[in-house]
Amino acid sequence: TLTPDRDMVLGAVPGHDPVLVGLGAAHGFKFAPTIGRILADLATGVTPTVNLTPYAPDRPALTAPAGRVSWLV
């Protein structure tokens, strides 16, 4: 699954804080250990050492109205 901005999604689902999401955006296989560590930290209340703002589930690229559709070929 690719997001419109081609970035990962890491963090709590807005409005459902106990639910965490970790989407690799087609890069998950390379970053599985890091994604797992970040999600484990979030689940246990530890502040991750990585800035997760660019990967937030409520970032504009995911919440803005649908724009131009493009396909990777």
Side-chain angles (χ1 to χ4, degrees):
T1 301
L2 288 174
T3 59
D5 60 0
R6 308 292 195 261
D7 280 333
M8 298 179 205
V9 180
L10 298 168
V13 174
H16 305 280
D17 291 340
V19 180
L20 298 174
V21 64
L23 173 67
H27 302 288
F29 68 98
K30 294 185 283 190
F31 297 105
T34 302
I35 292 170
R37 171 66 65 170
I38 290 169
L39 292 175
D41 286 348
L42 291 171
T44 58
V46 175
T47 302
T49 58
V50 178
N51 176 13
L52 297 179
T53 304
Y55 311 112
D58 58 354
R59 66 182 184 264
L62 301 179
T63 59
R68 185 176 66 97
V69 176
S70 62
W71 301 93
L72 295 176
V73 179

